[in-house]
Amino acid sequence: MSFSDFPALLLEHGFTPETYEFESTSLGFQHEIYNALIHHSPVFREQSRIREQLDVPGEMIRCDLFTYAGDLKTAVPFFYRQWFEELRYENPLREVLILDRAHHSAQIRALTISQCNAMTFRFNIK
């Protein structure tokens, strides 16, 4: 599976711009991402950015997460811990996390679908 399948998975579960208000879900996730990953974070700097891009179905929320020391060995596990403890839906119907790691950066693409909500993400960790 690849992140290019995300729009099809949203459609398969009935989530389209005509049938679902992605804006309110996006706003809620932006606050949750800030609180779970950035605010008072021991790993990611306050200069990290969260952007809504609802016109990009495969990554409706894009986050550029800047580490304090460029330490991916700490940043990637921290991200996953926060995702599973604070960000993901409690009982997801479908959840996909795809990690693409390079020497000085990592990219995590995520899709999460619950009974009533859905969202796609791109997290760039630098």
Side-chain angles (χ1 to χ4, degrees):
M1 166 155 309
S2 75
F3 74 91
S4 61
D5 298 325
F6 288 2
L9 289 170
L10 290 172
L11 182 61
E12 180 182 312
H13 288 276
F15 292 99
T16 67
E18 293 80 28
T19 62
Y20 181 69
E21 165 123 10
F22 287 104
E23 293 87 0
S24 61
T25 301
S26 172
L27 182 61
F29 265 116
Q30 289 178 64
H31 289 287
E32 293 298 320
I33 290 166
Y34 177 78
N35 288 330
L37 296 175
I38 301 169
H39 186 65
H40 297 299
S41 172
V43 177
F44 299 117
R45 297 186 343 220
E46 287 281 335
Q47 292 79 10
S48 297
R49 295 185 301 260
I50 304 169
R51 289 184 291 230
E52 177 181 87
Q53 44 188 39
L54 297 178
D55 58 334
V56 184
E59 52 187 62
M60 289 186 251
I61 296 178
R62 178 182 170 159
C63 302
D64 295 313
L65 300 169
F66 302 108
T67 64
Y68 285 106
D71 179 12
L72 293 181
K73 290 180 183 178
T74 301
V76 171
F78 177 78
F79 170 86
Y80 277 108
R81 186 172 48 254
Q82 295 303 99
W83 176 268
F84 287 107
E85 289 179 8
E86 295 192 38
L87 293 172
R88 73 186 300 227
Y89 289 127
E90 187 172 314
N91 295 306
L93 295 176
R94 188 75 184 251
E95 182 175 72
V96 180
L97 294 160
I98 300 169
L99 171 64
D100 183 20
R101 190 170 179 163
H103 184 65
H104 295 290
S105 65
Q107 181 180 93
I108 300 169
R109 303 233 187 194
L111 163 95
T112 187
I113 298 174
S114 73
Q115 184 76 28
C116 301
N117 295 299
M119 188 52 56
T120 59
F121 307 87
R122 177 179 171 179
F123 297 94
N124 297 315
I125 301 173
K126 301 174 186 177

